[in-house]
Amino acid sequence: MTASSTRCSRNSPADAVSRAAEVLWRRWVLWGLRWVLFALLALCGQAQAANPAAIPDMRLEQTDEGLFLTAALEFELPTLAEDALRKGIPMYFVTEAELTRRRWYWYDQHIATEVRYLRLSYQPLTRRWRLNVSSEPFDSSGLGVALGQNFDDLADVRAAMQRIVRWKIAPAAAIDPQEQYQVQLRFRLDLSQLPRPLQIGALGRSGWNLSLARSLRWSPEPTQ
């Protein structure tokens, strides 16, 4: 009698209702999590659409002097980076072009690498932007040998940053007309140049992200 009563209590209607409620609750939780995930993905897609970053145009020109790169970049300054700029904190950017020779039997052979360093700053008192461009990294001692230009509007300075015109990326002697090559162009915001507190705060935050890259296969023109 006792065993029968125990079996009845384990399979009582109250237990069945409880289990059914638990299963229903789990389904509702999973359904809710899925909708939250879909919403987050939609927001990320909208943010990317609103702030496109790409290299739509990239061309190479071969002359007796070497190989020259012309390109157009498309990007918006990250929100947090623009806020820091308007508070007088300069931002640093790196443009890198790498030429490699393609090899089917091994890794591609490195031929040449050229780097440009950009320093963008804003003067709140004069409300003017200044862009410095150098072939050497900027350091705390000063700007070194760098070309500088002033702008009245952020859109104008951004347009200047987005244009690359006949940048020499390799000497003529480095190019073998019988080989095939690949050029990779990269552009990024250099977070390592930020003040230390901003570096720590920028880690993993999308409001600081800015990175573009594009590769182009290229074959030299036949020699006459």
Side-chain angles (χ1 to χ4, degrees), residues 59 68-72 116 162-168:
R59 289 171 284 135
F68 293 81
L69 170 68
T70 296
R116 277 183 178 176
Q162 293 173 338
R163 292 193 302 268
I164 300 176
V165 180
R166 297 196 83 247
W167 180 22
K168 186 177 179 179

Side-chain angles (χ1 to χ4, degrees), residues 10-222:
R10 290 177 179 175
N11 300 297
S12 65
D15 291 338
V17 171
S18 177
R19 286 194 297 271
E22 183 179 356
V23 171
L24 183 61
W25 170 253
R26 289 179 178 176
R27 290 178 179 176
W28 275 100
V29 170
L30 290 175
W31 180 84
L33 290 175
R34 288 173 181 172
W35 274 105
V36 170
L37 178 60
F38 291 153
L40 290 175
L41 292 175
L43 288 175
C44 290
Q46 291 175 1
Q48 292 177 354
N51 298 286
I55 305 177
D57 183 32
M58 181 175 170
R59 289 171 284 135
L60 297 170
E61 178 186 357
Q62 181 185 1
T63 71
D64 293 338
E65 298 178 3
L67 184 62
F68 293 81
L69 170 68
T70 296
L73 314 181
E74 287 185 359
F75 62 84
E76 297 288 339
L77 288 177
T79 304
L80 297 179
E82 184 176 341
D83 290 343
L85 279 164
R86 293 187 182 277
K87 294 175 182 177
I89 302 174
M91 293 291 122
Y92 297 83
F93 304 84
V94 178
T95 308
E96 182 180 13
E98 182 182 14
L99 176 68
T100 56
R101 181 170 67 88
R102 301 183 62 200
R103 296 189 294 192
W104 62 269
Y105 59 89
W106 197 245
Y107 296 108
D108 291 349
Q109 179 185 9
H110 174 266
I111 302 298
T113 298
E114 289 293 326
V115 183
R116 277 183 178 176
Y117 301 90
L118 293 83
R119 181 185 186 272
L120 177 60
S121 60
Y122 177 71
Q123 296 296 330
L125 294 179
T126 60
R127 297 184 178 180
R128 302 197 73 187
W129 300 85
R130 184 168 180 80
L131 178 65
N132 294 97
V133 182
S134 174
S135 59
E136 300 293 334
F138 297 103
D139 54 39
S140 57
S141 61
L143 298 180
V145 181
L147 299 176
Q149 189 174 1
N150 294 320
F151 299 86
D152 293 323
D153 190 77
L154 177 58
D156 293 335
V157 69
R158 188 174 67 243
M161 296 172 64
Q162 293 173 338
R163 292 193 302 268
I164 300 176
V165 180
R166 297 196 83 247
W167 180 22
K168 186 177 179 179
I169 61 173
I175 299 172
D176 186 341
Q178 305 300 321
E179 300 291 344
Q180 292 185 330
Y181 297 87
Q182 180 168 289
V183 175
Q184 184 166 25
L185 177 62
R186 294 182 287 266
F187 177 85
R188 61 181 173 85
L189 171 62
D190 188 3
L191 298 179
S192 67
Q193 294 276 17
L194 294 177
R196 189 62 179 175
L198 286 182
Q199 288 186 38
I200 298 174
L203 292 176
R205 298 188 63 179
S206 59
W208 287 101
N209 291 343
L210 177 57
S211 179
L212 295 77
R214 180 176 174 178
S215 296
L216 181 66
R217 293 182 179 179
W218 175 73
S219 298
E221 297 177 359

